[in-house]
Amino acid sequence: MSWHPQYRSSKFRHVFGKPASKENCYDAVPITHSVHDNHFCAVNPHFIAVVTECAGGGAFLVIPLHQTGKLDPHYPKVCGHRGNVLDIKWNPFDDFEIASASEDATIKIWAIPKQLLSRNFTAYRKELAGHSRRVGLVEWHPTAANILFSAGYDYKVMVWNLDTKESVIASPVKTIDCHQDVILSMSFNTNGSLLATTCKDRKIRVLDARAGTVLQEASYKGHRANKVLFLGNLKKLLSTGTSRWNNRQIALWDQDNLSAPLTEEDLDGSSGVLFPFYDADTSMLYVVGKGDGNIRYYEVSADKPHLSYLTEYRSYHPQKGIGFMPKRGLDVSTCEIFRFYKLITTKSLIEPISMIVPRRSESYQEDIYPPTAGAQPSLTATEWLSGMDKGPVLVSLRPGSELLSPRSLPPERPLSNSLPPASPHLLDQTAVLAAADDRRPFSLPEEKAPRWTAGHRLEEKKAWLTNGFDIFECPPPKTENELLQMFYRQQEEIRRLRELVTQREVQAKQLELEIKNLRMSSEWS
């Protein structure tokens, strides 16, 4: 009987990495020479921030995403730290707010102006001064607004509530003091209730993010962990580190049992730190080595074998650090499922690398873009500190789509033949329909319209943001390929608007039927 290798059917088997052309890279960028094991780069749909070299303190650059090409040597910096900047992270719920951690033992929160910087920017919004030694890591809470975690070389993790009026916050709301050495990485689970850390003692710990208590601790000696990452809702952890023989290694763990890894895989004998990135929407894991030129990627599953190697993106240029674009900033018209921003110090270059699923169809691919976490918090800082946990607010990546799980909208009321009070949802639909025709609804006086109607119109205006940028203010296309992408995007927008008009017509007919039923019921009574 002949043996056949097991065949895996996967829509991501042929994912490939596509580097940006020279004119779409960021050239002449003075990237930091720090040896700290961090990304040194943070990206959102509006800006790319990168830690830079600066005399007499620490600084980083904030470059508009569309401003590609050669950077001005006198480009203004965001500076104000007295020591080197070690980590930067954009607020996931505010594309114009960024946190920076420094060797001067402080964290600063910056509100980046919407207009281009004309000179060095030094006006920080808040300063967090609780650590006694340099701060190596900062992480924003994934679902709660204004909650920031920081880890310093004083072996402490501090939880900060930024929802205060003070410009200098001297004491955190919680200090987690359970580590015996320097903290190397932090990662949250999906709803932010658990925090995983790795320490210089090479142990992995799973903590209650709010209380700071240790729930699990790895005592396995065969894998010395360096970086750790929660794998979405799989209830698993992924760590990178070294084996007993100093081979670079990745290991998969059950988050409820860290006695031994579920699986281990040796990669090579290099010495650079491995940075893991996980995309919960596609269940794909990307492993990027510091000092390497390649990016390995795997598919993760809940069943054995948990890690399935796909392939790797190869390059001759080693990366100093790397940033990645949030899902809402991807170009769905090209089937892009992930995008890296690679820092190449040897060429003073930032090179975008797109991970693309090859598809012939030019329409929106629903199967590779499931609902993903959006830019709206599901909790306030006070709610989270009081003990509430909620998953992220989901959005669709379809161009022009709205929130799938908004918090502020009241529930819809079903149509009925009785005489109930008119539902706010129906009132708002009529108001929007009339506004589309530039007329005021005859049956809805302005003083009787619900108060949240204006807020809902603001949400509809936000729907103009297609893939993270305003379709009315996007830069003009530079190449034929960009022109084609813009054309396809406009075709998709026209199709979406036609669908919207059809939906509005159906809703208008429903309203007419309901009014007719109400009149008939009033005549019978």
Side-chain angles (χ1 to χ4, degrees):
M1 189 170 71
S2 61
W3 176 84
H4 296 281
Q6 186 177 3
Y7 174 78
R8 286 186 64 257
S9 176
S10 170
K11 64 186 77 169
F12 303 111
R13 287 177 65 237
H14 302 292
V15 169
F16 66 95
K18 181 181 179 182
S21 57
K22 181 71 173 179
E23 61 268 17
N24 290 321
C25 294
Y26 305 84
D27 200 2
V29 181
I31 302 167
T32 180
H33 296 299
S34 171
V35 295
H36 199 70
D37 289 331
N38 260 349
H39 298 158
F40 298 123
C41 181
V43 187
N44 69 22
H46 289 91
F47 300 107
I48 175 170
V50 58
V51 180
T52 183
E53 286 295 303
C54 180
F60 58 96
L61 299 169
V62 175
I63 308 169
L65 204 67
H66 59 81
Q67 190 175 322
T68 55
K70 196 165 185 177
L71 193 71
D72 187 344
H74 304 291
Y75 191 85
K77 301 178 176 67
V78 179
C79 50
H81 284 287
R82 297 182 300 277
N84 292 331
V85 174
L86 299 181
D87 196 15
I88 47 176
K89 293 283 167 58
W90 288 105
N91 187 340
F93 311 121
D94 185 351
D95 287 343
F96 296 90
E97 186 172 78
I98 189 170
S100 60
S102 170
E103 288 183 349
D104 63 8
T106 66
I107 303 110
K108 286 183 168 59
I109 311 298
W110 309 83
I112 303 300
K114 295 187 179 181
Q115 65 273 17
L116 291 177
L117 297 176
S118 57
R119 59 171 183 249
N120 286 354
F121 187 69
T122 58
Y124 55 85
R125 191 170 74 83
K126 288 186 184 297
E127 182 180 71
L128 316 180
H131 287 279
S132 58
R133 297 182 65 187
R134 57 183 173 171
V135 187
L137 297 167
V138 285
E139 288 288 344
W140 294 90
H141 194 275
T143 61
N146 294 315
I147 294 291
L148 183 73
F149 281 62
S150 64
Y153 278 64
D154 51 6
Y155 311 158
K156 295 176 182 177
V157 176
M158 295 188 177
V159 187
W160 304 90
N161 179 9
L162 306 183
D163 194 11
T164 60
K165 294 182 180 178
E166 293 84 5
S167 60
V168 178
I169 305 176
S171 56
V173 294
K174 179 70 180 176
T175 300
I176 302 172
D177 193 4
C178 62
H179 298 87
Q180 307 301 317
D181 213 323
V182 176
I183 298 145
L184 301 177
S185 71
M186 297 189 293
S187 176
F188 287 101
N189 65 342
T190 304
N191 65 3
S193 61
L194 299 177
L195 177 71
T197 64
T198 53
C199 186
K200 208 169 182 179
D201 60 10
R202 303 302 184 183
K203 290 184 179 180
I204 302 171
R205 293 173 177 86
V206 176
L207 315 172
D208 184 311
R210 198 178 288 105
T213 54
V214 179
L215 304 178
Q216 291 285 330
E217 183 175 304
S219 56
Y220 184 74
K221 302 296 183 183
H223 175 79
R224 293 172 291 181
N226 195 297
K227 302 291 180 183
V228 68
L229 195 65
F230 268 103
L231 298 182
N233 290 319
L234 294 178
K235 293 193 174 181
K236 289 180 174 54
L237 292 169
L238 188 285
S239 66
T240 64
T242 55
S243 68
R244 300 184 187 196
W245 298 274
N246 280 335
N247 288 325
R248 291 198 300 186
Q249 188 181 61
I250 57 176
L252 194 71
W253 308 76
D254 182 350
Q255 74 179 35
D256 299 322
N257 181 12
L258 299 183
S259 58
L262 298 173
T263 182
E264 296 173 277
E265 183 173 330
D266 286 3
L267 300 184
D268 52 38
S270 300
S271 59
V273 172
L274 294 171
F275 296 114
F277 299 89
Y278 181 65
D279 181 5
D281 300 336
T282 59
S283 298
M284 284 185 65
L285 169 73
Y286 302 88
V287 180
V288 183
K290 182 179 178 181
D292 297 358
N294 56 349
I295 300 173
R296 299 175 176 88
Y297 35 106
Y298 302 77
E299 202 165 6
V300 184
S301 62
D303 305 320
K304 292 183 179 179
H306 301 288
L307 287 175
S308 301
Y309 175 76
L310 294 173
T311 183
E312 64 180 301
Y313 165 79
R314 294 178 178 271
S315 169
Y316 293 108
H317 304 298
Q319 53 249 1
K320 168 78 173 184
I322 201 155
F324 69 97
M325 174 67 75
K327 293 300 288 286
R328 56 193 174 89
L330 300 180
D331 183 5
V332 297
S333 65
T334 60
C335 297
E336 182 184 38
I337 58 171
F338 215 80
R339 189 191 306 160
F340 290 103
Y341 287 80
K342 177 177 173 179
L343 307 185
I344 307 173
T345 50
T346 55
K347 301 177 70 177
S348 298
L349 188 73
I350 303 176
E351 181 184 49
I353 301 170
S354 298
M355 296 296 169
I356 294 174
V357 178
R359 294 280 175 95
R360 290 183 180 274
S361 175
E362 296 165 357
S363 61
Y364 179 74
Q365 304 293 306
E366 197 81 45
D367 60 324
I368 62 175
Y369 295 115
T372 189
Q376 178 177 328
S378 53
L379 292 168
T380 64
T382 306
E383 287 173 341
W384 184 78
L385 291 171
S386 65
M388 291 180 64
D389 286 318
K390 280 188 180 179
V393 176
L394 301 180
V395 296
S396 170
L397 294 181
R398 181 185 290 275
S401 59
E402 299 181 6
L403 295 179
L404 300 179
S405 53
R407 299 181 64 222
S408 57
L409 298 183
E412 293 188 31
R413 298 188 182 183
L415 297 173
S416 65
N417 294 329
S418 59
L419 189 59
S423 68
H425 185 71
L426 293 175
L427 292 174
D428 186 57
Q429 287 175 354
T430 311
V432 171
L433 280 168
D437 292 332
D438 233 357
R439 297 191 301 268
R440 184 166 297 187
F442 67 92
S443 60
L444 292 175
E446 189 171 352
E447 60 272 8
K448 292 185 180 180
R451 289 185 179 179
W452 55 266
T453 308
H456 187 55
R457 287 201 191 104
L458 184 62
E459 288 297 326
E460 287 210 340
K461 188 175 180 181
K462 286 181 182 177
W464 295 346
L465 290 176
T466 305
N467 292 338
F469 64 90
D470 193 336
I471 58 175
F472 299 112
E473 295 182 1
C474 60
K478 299 178 182 178
T479 63
E480 184 179 354
N481 188 32
E482 289 183 4
L483 187 63
L484 279 173
Q485 291 177 11
M486 188 69 69
F487 170 74
Y488 296 142
R489 196 176 293 121
Q490 288 177 349
Q491 293 291 99
E492 185 71 21
E493 188 70 16
I494 291 169
R495 187 198 57 74
R496 187 192 68 82
L497 289 172
R498 283 175 178 163
E499 289 181 358
L500 190 63
V501 169
T502 305
Q503 291 173 6
R504 299 304 191 203
E505 289 175 352
V506 172
Q507 290 165 357
K509 289 179 181 178
Q510 289 176 344
L511 285 170
E512 290 174 1
L513 284 174
E514 187 174 11
I515 292 170
K516 185 177 179 181
N517 291 334
L518 290 174
R519 286 175 180 168
M520 291 178 62
S521 60
S522 61
E523 288 175 2
W524 282 105
S525 60

